[in-house]
Amino acid sequence: MDLSNPTRHIAVYQRRRAALLAQMQAAGGGIAVIETAPELHRNADSEFPYRFDSNFYYLTGFSEPGAALVLIAGDGSRTAPQSILFCREKNEEREIWDGYRHGPVAARELFGFTAAHDIESFETKLKELMANQPTVWALMGAGLDGRIAKGIELLRERSRNGQLAPTSLRDLAPLLGEMRLIKDAHELAIMREAGRISAAAHVRAMRACKPGLREYHLEAELLYEFRRQGAESPAYTSIVGTGANSCILHYRAGNTEIRNGDVVLIDAGCELHGYASDITRTFPANGKFTGEQKAIYELVLAAQEASIAAVRSGRRFSDYHEASVRTLTDGLIQLKLLEGSVDGAIESLAYRRFYMHGAGHWLGLDVHDAGEYMDVNAPYNSEAPEAKRRARRLLAPGMVVTVEPGLYIRPAKDVPEGFWNIGVRIEDDIVVTETGHENLTRGVPVTVAEIEALMRS
């Protein structure tokens, strides 16, 4: 199956638009406006590499800049739903410099829109399309687009002449978040391939690692493998941290030398056809774990295994984080890095000295993907701590989560020196299925024996 060409999967995007239009119609109708991301200036006459808006792409499959989508719900009887694309006109001179443009005519035919127009006419036509619509739907998180607000205001001025302005604004983000949360077969096929490529990149970096190299050398191995296998880019800035840097959660690969006896933590994944992969592995720089490194690593691996076991349909999103907390806390007490009982150390949050983040997040078109973590239908308890005022939502087939417990042991007087500067995180991408789960990223070794064997090779 060719996953790289959206025009071969028009029906996928048409189904998504139809599903969103049906929800809008059920909520009283109206018009939705979704613009793609703008091109961003970098410096002088250079631009950042372009990346489309995820919500726009999810509904269109259209990856060019300078585009917008308008959806009109219709009334269910007299007027049919419409999906209208605005994009750049064909321009042979600009295509010589910037590359191919579909133009409105080809875009309408290839991507299955009701109509398509030049983006230069967007502001004018938007005012016409909004006239007599009861509601404007837009993505409100980044603020209302100025052209939408201007169009509504102008319509209000004209309302005395028989053109009615929309009377309400509604946020599209909750509807799109719920849709994007459940991945369809097309999305999962891409994410499996992204996971395979990213796993191969981690294997390459492990094999290349040796004392004397620098963090950026391993980052280069990752980037090479991503592009060699057809991924467009990293899904996020790759983390490659050695020694003390392995204990910095959002560290960027720098020029620190990889030293004998250090651990190396790599958190990296590619983006393939818009979809992210997200893998973390930790390994010894010289290919052999010390006793303390092995103890911490195997504790984190046990926590990850307990967490993955809790990723099942019908379980709550919070369950797998709680499984990692309990396993890690128990292990830290056994290693004498924490004192007291497991329940006491969890209740007092003592474990957060070494494990200060959640066990995972949604994954998809964005690394931290769209969708609510709370169950909006659950009772709201205003007396509870803020994080627990509403229950976490139930997992369902088609959701994709990362599972990434970790421990980060920094130098301290009450920590034995053998544990200093050991940062370990192990992360895989997990799909919730009807019968359990599927791990998309186990193409890279994860046990101590597997990692040491790979690095010997």
Side-chain angles (χ1 to χ4, degrees):
M1 179 171 60
D2 180 9
L3 299 171
S4 63
N5 187 353
T7 62
R8 296 192 177 186
H9 304 279
I10 293 173
V12 169
Y13 301 99
Q14 288 177 318
R15 281 197 299 271
R16 293 173 187 168
R17 293 197 295 270
L20 181 56
L21 282 161
Q23 292 182 75
M24 290 167 54
Q25 195 174 94
I31 181 172
V33 185
I34 307 107
E35 296 187 64
T36 195
E39 293 179 289
L40 295 177
H41 183 74
R42 185 181 187 277
N43 64 298
D45 58 353
S46 297
E47 308 290 332
F48 282 105
Y50 182 70
R51 206 276 187 180
F52 45 76
D53 175 77
S54 295
N55 283 311
F56 176 85
Y57 186 79
Y58 178 78
L59 293 169
T60 66
F62 193 77
S63 59
E64 293 181 22
L69 173 67
V70 174
L71 299 174
I72 302 176
D75 62 10
S77 56
R78 291 172 298 171
T79 57
Q82 298 180 64
S83 59
I84 304 168
L85 180 73
F86 290 83
C87 65
R88 300 174 303 179
E89 281 281 12
K90 293 290 290 180
N91 184 320
E92 292 183 6
E93 182 178 351
R94 287 315 313 167
E95 289 181 54
I96 291 170
W97 292 89
D98 303 327
Y100 178 76
R101 296 182 180 186
H102 282 89
V105 174
R108 181 185 62 78
E109 295 174 354
L110 291 172
F111 291 86
F113 296 103
T114 308
H117 303 289
D118 179 6
I119 190 64
E120 295 298 324
S121 68
F122 178 57
E123 188 169 334
T124 300
K125 287 188 179 294
L126 183 59
K127 296 168 190 172
E128 299 170 3
L129 294 168
M130 286 195 299
N132 302 316
Q133 292 293 336
T135 301
V136 172
W137 297 79
L139 293 164
M140 309 294 279
L144 189 63
D145 181 86
R147 288 175 291 194
I148 300 174
K150 184 178 177 182
I152 293 172
E153 186 59 34
L154 184 61
L155 284 169
R156 284 175 178 159
E157 292 174 7
R158 293 177 178 174
S159 62
R160 65 178 66 93
N161 298 322
Q163 281 189 318
L164 298 179
T167 57
S168 66
L169 284 169
R170 298 192 64 175
D171 191 2
L172 267 178
L175 299 185
L176 281 170
E178 289 301 296
M179 290 175 65
R180 286 175 53 186
L181 196 51
I182 305 297
K183 273 57 180 181
D184 58 33
H186 177 70
E187 292 175 289
L188 291 176
I190 295 173
M191 294 184 75
R192 287 188 187 96
E193 182 64 6
R196 185 194 66 77
I197 293 170
S198 295
H202 277 260
V203 168
R204 183 183 190 92
M206 279 187 195
R207 283 184 168 145
C209 184
K210 62 181 179 181
L213 294 181
R214 295 186 181 273
E215 292 163 338
Y216 59 74
H217 288 121
L218 300 190
E219 181 187 29
E221 298 290 342
L222 296 165
L223 297 175
Y224 174 80
E225 194 67 18
F226 291 164
R227 290 300 284 145
R228 189 182 78 83
Q229 297 213 36
E232 292 84 10
S233 66
Y236 52 95
T237 302
S238 300
I239 296 169
V240 182
T242 185
N245 296 336
S246 69
C247 295
I248 302 173
L249 299 184
H250 289 163
Y251 180 78
R252 295 183 61 177
N255 65 355
T256 301
E257 182 178 345
I258 298 168
R259 298 178 304 174
N260 191 43
D262 282 349
V263 294
V264 178
L265 185 153
I266 295 180
D267 185 336
C270 73
E271 180 174 294
L272 181 69
H273 313 321
Y275 286 83
S277 178
D278 191 357
I279 302 175
T280 307
R281 289 293 186 271
T282 310
F283 52 91
N286 61 11
K288 183 71 175 177
F289 287 95
T290 67
E292 290 89 349
Q293 290 170 355
K294 181 178 179 181
I296 296 298
Y297 186 91
E298 291 191 328
L299 174 53
V300 174
L301 181 58
Q304 199 210 27
E305 290 170 346
S307 294
I308 291 174
V311 177
R312 304 182 70 86
S313 181
R315 297 288 296 270
R316 293 207 177 272
F317 176 85
S318 53
D319 287 351
Y320 77 89
H321 173 69
E322 291 169 3
S324 73
V325 167
R326 182 158 291 276
T327 303
L328 292 173
T329 303
D330 182 45
L332 288 167
I333 290 171
Q334 292 185 43
L335 291 172
K336 302 189 185 309
L337 294 173
L338 288 179
E339 297 179 345
S341 69
V342 173
D343 288 338
I346 292 174
E347 182 67 24
S348 67
L349 304 181
Y351 68 89
R352 295 193 65 176
R353 177 182 177 187
F354 304 111
Y355 178 41
M356 62 293 295
H357 59 77
H361 51 81
W362 306 131
L363 185 70
L365 278 166
D366 296 310
V367 178
H368 289 183
D369 207 34
E372 288 290 336
Y373 289 96
M374 296 299 183
D375 182 354
V376 296
N377 298 314
Y380 183 80
N381 181 3
S382 60
E383 304 297 321
E386 185 174 352
K388 296 184 178 181
R389 288 178 183 173
R390 199 185 297 278
R392 296 285 182 169
R393 74 181 306 149
L394 298 175
L395 298 175
M399 293 179 177
V400 182
V401 298
T402 66
V403 180
E404 50 180 307
L407 289 174
Y408 312 91
I409 318 297
R410 295 168 179 78
K413 290 181 180 179
D414 59 343
V415 173
E417 190 171 347
F419 288 106
W420 288 7
N421 296 322
I422 299 177
V424 175
R425 185 164 64 253
I426 307 171
E427 177 181 21
D428 286 291
D429 305 341
I430 311 296
V431 183
V432 182
T433 66
E434 295 284 353
T435 57
H437 55 255
E438 174 190 354
N439 191 327
L440 300 180
T441 50
R442 275 295 165 91
V444 54
V446 71
T447 68
V448 166
E450 289 170 341
I451 289 171
E452 290 184 345
L454 174 68
M455 296 187 74
R456 282 197 303 271
S457 71

